Amino acid sequence: MMLNQQSPIPLYRQLATRISEDIEAGLHRVSEKIPSENELAQHFSIGRPTVRQATDLLVRQGKLERRRGSGTYVLPPTQSIDLFSLAGTSAALRKSELNARLELTATPKREKISFEGSELPSDYLRVERRTSVDDTPVLYETLWLSTDVFPDLEKHNLANQSLSALIRDVYFLEPSSADQTFFVICADDAQAKQLDTKTGTPLLRVYRQLHFGNNKHALHAEIVCLTDRFEFSQTLFPANAAQDTMNQPV
Amino acid sequence: MMLNQQSPIPLYRQLATRISEDIEAGLHRVSEKIPSENELAQHFSIGRPTVRQATDLLVRQGKLERRRGSGTYVLPPTQSIDLFSLAGTSAALRKSELNARLELTATPKREKISFEGSELPSDYLRVERRTSVDDTPVLYETLWLSTDVFPDLEKHNLANQSLSALIRDVYFLEPSSADQTFFVICADDAQAKQLDTKTGTPLLRVYRQLHFGNNKHALHAEIVCLTDRFEFSQTLFPANAAQDTMNQPV
DNA sequence: GCGGTCAAGTTGTCAATACAACTTTGCGCG
DNA sequence: CGCGCAAAGTTGTATTGACAACTTGACCGC
């Protein structure tokens, strides 16, 4: 299975995906080396810089580590954040995900709405969905997706697939960043009903904005949960102390 | 001032530093373009791929944004994270910080305690402090600092200086990462008193663990706040890039 | 068996070149 | 004046090629 030269997806991205899939399929084990850059270049009939672009991408995703003179190694699965959802990273939640069910709670519909920081009302597709674990509702989300950025989204099945995968595969877009703010709120009637709890129950509300390139208003999301049902946790790293630290000789 | 070809520092890193310094010196303004890749290559007598490596680095640091066909733009200064506290870096918070007061609410004392994931009880220094803005309490924090990692910490003045600066200057340590988990809780008597609210009031509780090198139990922190007094927000980036926390009183 | 050296292999840096895809600007026409 | 088109400019992708800096393994000598 070679790379598709005709695809609009750049070769280096196709290769990154391929390597990533090979890792997930167990072809390359954690702590072991993937084929060398020259081997990959030869095998896929592409240039070594193209291979490097692909491995660059995966290094930045924390999936690979390059050791000069030695090779490129598979790293343990990182605790990465999926910006589309609150799927956490703890081992406990991973277990819960096996029994997780995500369902739409209303038919997606268009509405014209203006978010803070955006002057004019714009068209959004409003999507409501709920995540349950073992039939206990743990998350209730409302998403507003810009119809300018994601045209004809309602034509796709939003219920049974990952929204991030859909947006990546259909629109070739990935979020560049997200802003989110935490609130403690009291459940209103709709929220209480969706989460199967009493009106007025204290909830964690997370308001999140996903940015795609320069578009700051592509996707807004409101997520509410009971923190004794859903553990919202994350790992933080200091800024500017990442894999790209400048090493100065003494 | 050209790049030093004889330096052991790669050209692309020298250029990245140069561009970064030019930005900080005001030579390139936020939202304005830096010279094009070809211009920089010509000016510094280097190849365009070398320029791209430099701008790649700065793009990944969030300092630059490249727009195809248009140019490379300076981004607003990023919000860097202070893992020790919820104090952020935004201009709005900077204003609030002028009126922010941090005080110890109890004399730091030692206690032997065992945190989850740690088998044996260890000695920690327990520090309680409260942050007020305009005399309104907005944050109540309890910190447990390992006496093994930070010996004789109580000998230092913990009230009137940044804890992160103290630990950096006295112990030469900086946190490598932090795990945090969010809970909605009801205020107990102590919390209600410190935050000047009623017992039972719903609060946001953030439990945070700072890691120093391989030490996962160096510092534990519990932070509680009312989200209508203190806005807990953050900017997330995909995958393993640096996480940014920005927090401000409302 | 251990230590040192060297060759082969691998990643890191850098270059010139080319074309694609996009943005911006200027000019001409209605 | 506004619109459309073309040219110029810019970033994005990809190639071939070269050398530097490092790692690893094999071989040899003690």
Side-chain angles (χ1 to χ4, degrees):
Chain A
M1 218 76 74
M2 306 306 282
L3 309 180
N4 181 2
Q5 300 267 2
Q6 311 307 326
S7 170
I9 304 180
L11 292 178
Y12 78 94
R13 285 192 181 272
Q14 293 183 46
L15 178 58
T17 300
R18 176 63 187 278
I19 295 171
S20 199
E21 289 170 348
D22 284 349
I23 292 171
E24 282 164 29
L27 188 62
H28 307 301
R29 302 260 185 86
V30 170
S31 303
E32 289 179 1
K33 289 192 282 192
I34 67 169
S36 77
E37 293 173 357
N38 287 326
E39 283 168 349
L40 287 169
Q42 189 171 23
H43 178 81
F44 289 104
S45 302
I46 55 178
R48 187 183 149 216
T50 307
V51 173
R52 288 192 65 80
Q53 277 183 287
T55 55
D56 266 353
L57 200 50
L58 294 173
V59 164
R60 295 208 298 280
Q61 288 175 11
K63 294 180 179 175
L64 295 180
E65 174 187 55
R66 288 194 296 216
R67 297 184 203 150
R68 184 192 237 185
S70 178
T72 302
Y73 292 78
V74 180
L75 288 177
T78 58
Q79 320 236 352
S80 59
I81 291 186
D82 178 0
L83 296 184
F84 279 92
S85 75
L86 284 179
T89 57
S90 68
L93 185 60
R94 278 222 172 97
K95 200 180 296 183
S96 303
E97 275 176 346
L98 294 178
N99 305 311
R101 180 164 55 95
L102 187 150
E103 61 192 334
L104 295 187
T105 54
T107 305
K109 65 182 175 184
R110 287 186 176 218
E111 63 188 26
K112 194 174 285 287
I113 192 168
S114 175
F115 288 100
E116 188 178 321
S118 172
E119 293 189 353
L120 298 177
S122 304
D123 275 337
Y124 287 87
L125 185 69
R126 179 188 171 115
V127 178
E128 293 181 22
R129 61 184 191 178
R130 179 176 61 186
T131 305
S132 303
V133 175
D134 294 331
D135 293 322
T136 299
V138 296
L139 288 182
Y140 174 51
E141 300 168 86
T142 308
L143 305 118
W144 293 270
L145 299 109
S146 164
T147 55
D148 288 338
V149 179
F150 312 112
D152 297 325
L153 184 58
E154 61 264 41
K155 290 185 182 173
H156 299 276
N157 181 2
L158 299 173
N160 293 320
Q161 65 179 325
S162 158
L163 190 57
S164 66
L166 174 61
I167 286 182
R168 187 186 59 233
D169 296 341
V170 175
Y171 300 103
F172 304 104
L173 292 174
E174 290 191 341
S176 51
S177 65
D179 293 324
Q180 67 182 5
T181 308
F182 297 85
F183 303 93
V184 174
I185 61 169
C186 297
D188 64 23
D189 289 342
Q191 290 159 347
K193 177 177 171 184
Q194 294 297 340
L195 290 175
D196 195 20
T197 191
K198 289 179 188 175
T199 300
T201 301
L203 300 179
L204 178 64
R205 173 177 176 256
V206 184
Y207 178 72
R208 184 181 283 174
Q209 230 173 316
L210 295 196
H211 312 315
F212 291 81
N214 297 331
N215 202 318
K216 300 284 183 182
H217 294 285
L219 195 157
H220 294 254
E222 178 188 79
I223 302 141
V224 293
C225 68
L226 288 155
T227 57
D228 57 359
R229 293 186 197 167
F230 185 86
E231 179 174 293
F232 189 96
S233 63
Q234 59 189 189
T235 300
L236 305 179
F237 298 92
N240 304 322
Q243 301 143 358
D244 246 345
T245 46
M246 289 177 136
N247 298 309
Q248 312 263 13
V250 188
Chain B
M1 219 73 74
M2 307 306 282
L3 308 180
N4 181 2
Q5 301 268 2
Q6 312 305 325
S7 171
I9 304 180
L11 292 179
Y12 78 94
R13 286 191 183 273
Q14 293 183 45
L15 179 58
T17 299
R18 176 64 186 277
I19 296 170
S20 199
E21 288 170 347
D22 286 349
I23 291 170
E24 281 164 28
L27 188 61
H28 307 301
R29 301 258 186 88
V30 171
S31 301
E32 289 180 2
K33 289 192 284 192
I34 66 169
S36 78
E37 293 173 357
N38 287 325
E39 283 168 349
L40 288 170
Q42 190 171 22
H43 180 81
F44 290 103
S45 302
I46 55 178
R48 188 181 147 217
T50 307
V51 173
R52 288 192 64 80
Q53 276 183 289
T55 54
D56 266 352
L57 197 50
L58 294 173
V59 164
R60 294 206 298 279
Q61 288 174 12
K63 294 180 180 176
L64 296 180
E65 175 184 56
R66 287 194 295 216
R67 295 183 204 153
R68 185 192 234 181
S70 179
T72 303
Y73 292 77
V74 180
L75 288 178
T78 58
Q79 321 275 353
S80 60
I81 182 173
D82 177 1
L83 296 185
F84 279 93
S85 74
L86 290 177
T89 58
S90 69
L93 185 59
R94 280 218 172 98
K95 199 180 297 183
S96 302
E97 272 177 348
L98 295 177
N99 305 313
R101 182 162 55 95
L102 186 149
E103 61 191 334
L104 294 187
T105 54
T107 305
K109 64 182 176 183
R110 287 187 176 217
E111 63 188 27
K112 193 173 287 287
I113 191 168
S114 175
F115 288 100
E116 188 178 321
S118 172
E119 291 190 354
L120 298 177
S122 304
D123 274 336
Y124 286 86
L125 185 70
R126 178 188 172 116
V127 177
E128 291 180 25
R129 61 185 190 176
R130 179 177 62 184
T131 305
S132 302
V133 175
D134 295 332
D135 293 322
T136 300
V138 295
L139 286 181
Y140 174 50
E141 300 168 88
T142 308
L143 304 117
W144 293 270
L145 299 109
S146 165
T147 56
D148 289 338
V149 180
F150 312 112
D152 297 324
L153 183 59
E154 62 265 40
K155 291 185 180 174
H156 300 276
N157 181 0
L158 299 173
N160 293 320
Q161 65 179 325
S162 157
L163 190 56
S164 65
L166 174 62
I167 286 183
R168 187 185 60 234
D169 295 340
V170 174
Y171 300 103
F172 304 104
L173 292 173
E174 291 192 341
S176 50
S177 65
D179 292 325
Q180 67 182 5
T181 308
F182 297 85
F183 303 93
V184 174
I185 62 168
C186 297
D188 64 23
D189 289 342
Q191 290 159 347
K193 177 177 172 184
Q194 295 297 339
L195 289 176
D196 195 19
T197 190
K198 288 181 187 174
T199 299
T201 301
L203 302 178
L204 178 65
R205 172 178 177 256
V206 184
Y207 178 71
R208 184 181 283 174
Q209 230 173 313
L210 296 195
H211 312 315
F212 292 80
N214 294 331
N215 201 319
K216 301 284 184 181
H217 293 286
L219 195 157
H220 295 255
E222 178 189 77
I223 303 143
V224 294
C225 66
L226 288 156
T227 57
D228 57 357
R229 292 187 196 166
F230 185 86
E231 180 173 291
F232 191 99
S233 62
Q234 59 190 187
T235 300
L236 305 179
F237 297 93
N240 239 3
Q243 312 300 324
D244 230 356
T245 300
M246 172 185 67
N247 309 282
Q248 55 189 357
V250 180

